[in-house]
Amino acid sequence: MKTDAGSLGKVAVLMGGSSAEREVSLMSGRGVLAALQSLGVDAQAFDPAVRPLEDLRKDGFQRVFIALHGRGGEDGTLQGALTLMRLPYTGSGVLASALAMDKWRSKLLWQAAGLPIPDYAVLDETSDFAAVAARLGLPLFVKPAREGSSIGVIKVKHAADLAAAYREAARHDDLVLAEQAMEGGEFTVAVLGEGTQLRALPSIRIVPATEFYDYEAKYFRDDTRYLCPSGLTPAGEAEMRDLALRGFQILGCRGWARMDFLLDAAGRPYLLEANTAPGMTDHSLVPMAARASGMSFPDLCLRILELAHVE
């Protein structure tokens, strides 16, 4: 039974913000806003880079849809502020958001739980870059640990280029990872719901026309291919969805998220990272998976909003 839109009260769709992903957040937020309004929800845009958060209370908002990406929106800080304001908000709470945003610490938790992840190393100025390249193999990826949308990610093909790649990634974050490359394909699985209604949506295989699935390929290119059904065997699909649910639950996520995977040459899946406020643009993957499972974009937005909570 669909929720009565009026019962959700006045809804702020948080978009924009001041992170490196502002442009993408504005695209996501506009899509979500239009979808909710099309269902009769009293939703309004709210850009925290323009207005102070305390205006949410002052202006009588009763619920918040977080369409902010990256730092200040997806890393637990905003979730903490909204929790203190006692305003229900979409997605994961403070701790899960912070853990998912930090690729190193999420890997540590998944490792401790026995879940498969690509081999990696934490880099700093004193790292033995040649030894890292020898251990992880080439090519490998260097990335800021606490950025999203592939911002600052560099594919390194030659060991001599690793130090320069580290310095470039360190411009975005003082915590930098080198990560083993896997050539079996890139996949993603959306997770939606709570309690007994928690489920993993159909997997999507991502086939970029570029060197890898970078910022441009994610949001602006029209030659990136998305395969859903993804081409996995039924057993492979079940395994990946199960891993997505386990990775989601180990981090303590709530409501919705997108879990990204790599396959090795033998077809084994490895958890790559979790996104607790995934993109909701016309290129985005959660809406694509929802459509494959019979859910329209407006209904997806409404379902996420229904799951809004205060920790």
Side-chain angles (χ1 to χ4, degrees), residues 8-9 16 70 76 89 96 107 133 159 165 182 197 251-252 289 292 297 305:
L8 296 171
Y89 55 89
K107 289 178 189 297
M182 292 187 172
Q197 300 300 310
L251 295 181
F297 184 72
L305 186 61

Side-chain angles (χ1 to χ4, degrees), residues 7 13 35 43 46 55 76 87 89 97 108 123 134 193-194 205 207 225 242 259 261 263 267 283 288 305 309:
S7 69
V13 179
F46 191 104
D55 280 1
L87 272 175
Y89 55 89
S97 297
L108 291 174
L123 301 180
E194 64 181 358
R205 180 168 187 168
V207 186
R225 295 168 57 217
D242 179 64
M259 314 299 289
F261 291 85
L263 259 60
H283 280 59
M288 192 179 303
L305 186 61
H309 71 286

Side-chain angles (χ1 to χ4, degrees), residues 45-193:
F46 191 104
D47 185 346
V50 176
R51 303 176 62 185
L53 280 180
E54 49 263 37
D55 280 1
L56 290 169
R57 271 294 183 208
K58 187 191 304 181
D59 293 352
F61 288 103
Q62 296 163 280
R63 194 173 289 238
V64 173
F65 193 115
I66 298 175
L68 293 167
H69 307 314
R71 298 186 188 191
E74 199 172 350
D75 61 359
T77 54
L78 173 69
Q79 289 75 11
L82 295 175
T83 297
L84 287 173
M85 296 168 72
R86 306 308 298 163
L87 272 175
Y89 55 89
T90 56
S92 294
V94 177
L95 179 59
S97 297
L99 288 170
M101 188 70 189
D102 188 322
K103 297 177 182 67
W104 178 45
R105 288 172 174 84
S106 57
K107 289 178 189 297
L108 291 174
L109 282 178
W110 289 334
Q111 271 184 311
L115 301 189
I117 63 169
D119 197 7
Y120 70 95
V122 177
L123 301 180
D124 61 32
E125 286 286 0
T126 67
S127 294
D128 184 337
F129 294 109
V132 170
R135 179 167 72 81
L136 297 181
L138 294 168
L140 58 77
F141 287 94
V142 173
K143 58 182 65 175
R146 293 166 294 208
E147 284 287 0
S149 294
S150 297
I151 290 169
V153 177
I154 302 161
K155 187 173 185 177
V156 176
K157 299 179 181 179
H158 306 286
D161 298 332
L162 182 52
Y166 160 73
R167 288 191 291 272
E168 176 61 26
R171 293 177 54 243
H172 300 275
D173 192 355
D174 57 10
L175 180 59
V176 175
L177 302 179
E179 196 168 66
Q180 175 188 15
M182 292 187 172
E183 304 300 333
E186 185 165 356
F187 293 74
T188 195
V189 175
V191 176
L192 177 67

Side-chain angles (χ1 to χ4, degrees), residues 10-11 13-14 20 31 68 92 101 210 219 251 254 259 262 294:
K10 187 177 179 181
V11 176
V13 179
L14 265 59
L68 293 167
S92 294
M101 188 70 189
T210 48
Y219 300 112
L251 295 181
R254 289 188 52 159
M259 314 299 289
L262 295 176

